[in-house]
Amino acid sequence: MSCEGSLQIALDSIRQDETAILQDLSQMLAVDTCFPPGTGYPAFAALMESLLEPMGFACQRVSVPENLWQTPDGSAQGERVNVIATLPGSATEACNLYFHVDTVPAGDGWNYPPLALTQAEGKLIGRGAADMKGTIVATLAAIRAAQRHGLVLKFNPVLLLCTDEEGGLYPGVRYLAEQKLFAGHMLSFNGGAVPRIWGGCFGSIDLKICITGRSAHSGDPVGGINAIEESLPLMNALHALKHDVEQRASAMPAPPHFEGRPLTSRLTLAAAQGGGKGSTIPARFELLVNRRYSPEEPFERVFKELTGCITQAMKDSAALSVEYHLIGHLAPVSDPTGPHWPRWLAALGQGFGFHANDFAVWGSSTSSDMGWVQQAGIQEILLGGLARPENRIHASDEYTTMQDVVALSQSILAYLASDFIPTENSPTQGFSNSAERVQ
């Protein structure tokens, strides 16, 4: 890669921006945007406006209509405020930089305050540090460096700060895409600090099943209907279906750590809740099922198979009612490659030091809201981020490192800067060979 003069100075300057990086991350982690319920979106939007507008961004709030995201169980609450932040410039093309602002709930087992920034053992710890508020911080540092040194940008950056990626029924970026509120290619930061060419990902369905019985005294259960016991045929049927589903292999390239094993569809009994007292027959039982489906599986067929299993298993049940509700859905991503990928790979090499032969194409059975973006007409989606296998995303003591934040920031700055020129020795060659395998 060719980085000379002002661009190289700007790239190097990001390492000296530590104070601002830590301050930004501290403020972002302190705003509780966990989903469910997602009540912190307005506060986070206000914080981002206070950071972006002084940098010259024009910020637009867009709220998803409640009838689209509200679920029957009421797990989602509060206004779904998304922010589109546009930095005016002279470039003829925009680059949409995507972030989901929600996190999973803090959960148990933390050794540090989850909604605060803690620096310990070389780590930046807090819920959302890696997934994915730290990527917003890296982007702001990149823009500050460009502005400090007067760099001309190849793309006008548009930041999409979006809601409900962590399992929501109607993610914010889906609404923005369907309303045609942005155009151009997408750079998603829902990925990792790895030399990866994105081969796509599976879709995800969250289905909540509610079995209603009738409460009674467990010592004298006349007239009682035990909702948990009535659900046993259903759980057995779902477990049998799980075995069938997980034999279905996808043609999508598997991650390196699969060691030659294919990616397969998944079915998980993810949560169960019912009862609470030994002397009472439980009148209600709730089961949450997660189904990961490959791009080769049509959603309609997957959903029909799942709901058909429920209907068949419970057809002779004494339960008063059996209801199911779709409470979360992410569409699969298929072949997100395109003409901007070689430049992005070269930029990742600039920031993280990856070499051309480090890059490989692979997909995953994890999911992303980028599938909705593709369905709205944007096929090419670049991928980067801060995720590493060891940094405890979705677990207690989630963390990233200053080194990775700086490296990602340098990658973003290189990609956006007009002066950045990939050379023949850059990772573009690794892209061209790997991309052929995706087609």
Side-chain angles (χ1 to χ4, degrees):
M1 284 74 68
S2 175
C3 294
E4 299 178 356
S6 296
L7 174 56
Q8 187 61 59
I9 294 171
L11 289 166
D12 292 340
S13 76
I14 294 174
R15 297 188 182 92
Q16 280 73 56
D17 203 21
E18 181 174 317
T19 299
I21 288 172
L22 293 174
Q23 182 177 0
D24 288 349
L25 186 57
S26 178
Q27 292 183 84
M28 292 182 200
L29 297 185
V31 180
D32 185 353
T33 55
C34 74
F35 177 82
T39 54
Y41 297 138
F44 197 82
L47 171 62
M48 293 312 305
E49 289 164 347
S50 73
L51 296 175
L52 290 167
E53 288 175 350
M55 299 172 67
F57 281 87
C59 295
Q60 174 189 2
R61 290 194 182 197
V62 179
S63 293
V64 182
E66 185 173 352
N67 65 295
L68 296 178
W69 56 261
Q70 187 58 267
T71 57
D73 66 350
S75 57
Q77 300 174 19
E79 186 180 3
R80 266 42 199 168
V81 180
N82 299 262
V83 175
I84 303 174
T86 303
L87 186 64
S90 58
T92 58
E93 183 180 358
C95 175
N96 302 288
L97 296 95
Y98 162 82
F99 317 86
H100 68 79
V101 304
D102 55 324
T103 70
V104 296
D108 300 324
W110 285 77
N111 295 302
Y112 306 93
L115 298 181
L117 173 61
T118 301
Q119 299 180 68
E121 300 176 347
K123 302 174 182 177
L124 305 177
I125 303 168
R127 173 60 80 224
D131 183 24
M132 59 184 297
K133 293 176 179 178
T135 67
I136 307 174
V137 172
T139 302
L140 299 191
I143 299 297
R144 280 196 301 268
Q147 293 180 338
R148 274 196 307 270
H149 298 282
L151 298 185
V152 176
L153 299 184
K154 182 178 177 65
F155 308 103
N156 295 325
V158 178
L159 277 55
L160 306 176
L161 300 148
C162 298
T163 58
D164 286 4
E165 188 272 347
E166 298 289 4
L169 183 59
Y170 212 98
V173 74
R174 176 182 181 180
Y175 184 71
L176 300 186
E178 290 175 350
Q179 297 300 309
K180 308 298 183 183
L181 294 177
F182 61 90
H185 68 292
M186 177 78 76
L187 172 48
S188 168
F189 291 103
N190 206 15
V194 292
R196 176 187 183 186
I197 302 168
W198 199 23
C201 66
F202 281 33
S204 177
I205 296 169
D206 279 336
L207 193 72
K208 179 172 280 190
I209 309 167
C210 304
I211 297 96
T212 301
R214 184 183 295 116
S215 63
H217 195 295
S218 61
D220 186 10
V222 176
I225 301 174
N226 191 315
I228 295 177
E229 293 177 358
E230 289 299 320
S231 73
L232 291 176
L234 172 60
M235 287 191 282
N236 287 331
L238 288 169
H239 194 262
L241 178 60
K242 173 186 175 74
H243 180 269
D244 292 340
V245 163
E246 295 184 358
Q247 305 305 307
R248 301 170 191 170
S250 173
M252 184 182 295
H257 66 271
F258 271 51
E259 298 179 341
R261 292 177 289 112
L263 286 167
T264 63
S265 300
R266 311 291 300 175
L267 191 154
T268 302
L269 302 181
Q273 184 175 3
K277 187 174 176 60
S279 61
T280 302
I281 297 291
R284 186 174 178 85
F285 182 66
E286 295 183 350
L287 185 66
L288 178 63
V289 177
N290 178 259
R291 173 71 157 86
R292 305 279 169 157
Y293 67 102
S294 71
E296 295 96 329
E297 296 183 281
F299 166 78
E300 293 77 12
R301 188 175 70 193
V302 171
F303 193 74
K304 182 178 180 180
E305 179 183 59
L306 193 54
T307 56
C309 178
I310 297 169
T311 301
Q312 179 64 26
M314 299 300 287
K315 63 183 177 65
D316 297 323
S317 173
L320 299 180
S321 68
V322 179
E323 301 176 350
Y324 53 80
H325 305 285
L326 183 68
I327 64 169
H329 183 205
L330 297 173
V333 172
S334 179
D335 186 19
T337 57
H340 295 86
W341 264 95
R343 181 180 180 87
W344 176 237
L345 297 188
L348 287 173
Q350 175 65 46
F352 287 95
F354 300 140
H355 300 289
N357 58 4
D358 294 333
F359 284 87
V361 57
W362 47 277
S364 66
S365 50
T366 59
S367 303
S368 164
D369 47 8
M370 292 295 101
W372 300 120
V373 174
Q374 284 195 328
Q375 289 192 17
I378 296 176
Q379 184 67 26
E380 183 184 20
I381 305 172
L382 313 180
L383 186 68
L386 292 172
R388 292 184 182 272
E390 66 272 16
N391 61 10
R392 302 190 58 78
I393 286 176
H394 288 202
S396 58
D397 296 340
E398 175 187 345
Y399 75 91
T400 187
T401 64
M402 181 61 71
Q403 180 179 357
D404 275 355
V405 172
V406 169
L408 180 60
S409 183
Q410 291 174 328
S411 299
I412 296 166
L413 177 57
Y415 183 76
L416 295 176
S418 291
D419 289 348
F420 180 66
I421 303 174
T423 66
E424 293 183 359
N425 295 322
S426 74
T428 57
Q429 299 304 311
F431 170 81
S432 61
N433 293 334
S434 298
E436 292 172 1
R437 298 198 296 273
V438 179
Q439 304 303 321

